[in-house]
Amino acid sequence: MSGITYDYMEQYIRSLIPDSNNILKELEEYAKENSVPIIQKEVGKFLELMINIKRPVKILELGTAIGYSAILMQLSSNNTTTITTIERNKDMVNIACDNISKYGFQDKIKVLEGDCLEVLEKLEGKYDFIFMDAGKGHYNHFLPQCLRLLNGDGVIVADNVLFKGMVASKELLKRRKITIVKRMKSYLEMVSNSKELITSVIPMGDGIAVTTRRHNNE
Ligand SMILES: C[S@@+](CC[C@H](N)C(=O)[O-])C[C@H]1O[C@@H](n2cnc3c(N)ncnc32)[C@H](O)[C@@H]1O
């Protein structure tokens, strides 16, 4: 399991989540068979919840893979929502675009091919909800661009911020992950220490950080 929380707790929480609909089930099976990392079940449920509360009109995603989380967010949204999702791996872009067309979301989900940092720099307009799920070692570099693109009352959800527990515990830290972990810590410090932002880090899945702009004067 994730190394973030107790296995029995995770299993119990997952047991409460109803089976996915057929589209998501097919994509989950494909991801499992082909070892494509996609969001964990409880993170999917959290995104669905956030989208129901927030009702974003424009969503931006960093890291498309096969399009699973983009499709999940679209299924959680109403008809006016559009999603822009960024992916640098050409094979993934092709698979995601095929899936998006296969399930009829081509007018709602747009895949932009390229490295997040380069694509983010060129994007214009504002987004109500940003989901970060690409380039774990670069969240701190993506943040200024994401804040530029985030609406005044927008929300950023960043996945994998506890990175199998390595961000919180030196004992779990693997040498080859030192740089990623350092940068992830830097992201968490940036969003936690900024006077303009409020962030809650939740030990769910591989750890998520939920950030929004502060609207009081504290
Ligand atoms: C964890 S997967 C995304 C999973 C997807 N959000 C889902 O749950 O269905 C991360 C994806 O980000 C892509 N990626 C990693 N670094 C990137 C970067 N700097 N720019 C664009 N894409 C990147 C990888 O190719 C991979 O497909």
Side-chain angles (χ1 to χ4, degrees), residues 37-39 61 63-65 68-69 87-89 114-116 133-135:
I38 58 169
I39 47 165
E61 176 181 67
T64 319
Y68 175 79
S69 51
E87 173 59 56
R88 70 174 175 195
N89 178 319
D115 188 274
C116 284
D133 192 23

Side-chain angles (χ1 to χ4, degrees), residues 54 128 150-155 212-213 215:
K54 184 85 193 93
D128 307 298
L150 190 71
N151 246 331
D153 60 353
V155 174
T212 192
R213 287 199 174 86
H215 289 294

Side-chain angles (χ1 to χ4, degrees), residues 90-109:
K90 196 168 184 38
D91 293 337
M92 285 295 154
V93 169
N94 290 337
I95 296 169
C97 289
D98 286 349
N99 285 330
I100 290 163
S101 303
K102 178 176 169 189
Y103 299 116
F105 296 116
Q106 61 279 7
D107 296 335
K108 298 286 173 195
I109 305 174

Side-chain angles (χ1 to χ4, degrees), residues 81-192:
T81 307
T82 58
I83 301 179
T84 301
T85 175
I86 308 170
E87 173 59 56
R88 70 174 175 195
N89 178 319
K90 196 168 184 38
D91 293 337
M92 285 295 154
V93 169
N94 290 337
I95 296 169
C97 289
D98 286 349
N99 285 330
I100 290 163
S101 303
K102 178 176 169 189
Y103 299 116
F105 296 116
Q106 61 279 7
D107 296 335
K108 298 286 173 195
I109 305 174
K110 186 161 136 200
V111 183
L112 301 180
E113 185 181 337
D115 188 274
C116 284
L117 202 51
E118 287 165 23
V119 176
L120 285 170
E121 279 167 1
K122 290 184 198 129
L123 278 183
E124 294 296 339
K126 297 285 183 192
Y127 293 85
D128 307 298
F129 189 83
I130 299 180
F131 178 49
M132 271 195 207
D133 192 23
K136 315 298 168 206
H138 295 283
Y139 283 11
N140 56 338
H141 303 131
F142 300 153
L143 183 65
Q145 290 299 332
C146 287
L147 288 173
R148 177 181 68 81
L149 294 164
L150 190 71
N151 246 331
D153 60 353
V155 174
I156 300 176
V157 173
D159 197 15
N160 307 101
V161 296
L162 294 176
F163 208 65
K164 301 180 175 64
M166 289 186 222
V167 167
S169 162
K170 278 197 178 126
E171 270 126 58
L172 296 173
L173 183 59
K174 299 208 170 89
R175 270 186 77 81
R176 62 181 195 285
K177 302 290 183 193
I178 286 176
T179 304
I180 293 186
V181 167
K182 257 193 198 154
R183 291 180 180 171
M184 193 59 96
K185 279 187 175 177
S186 151
Y187 175 80
L188 289 173
E189 282 156 18
M190 284 158 88
V191 291
S192 302

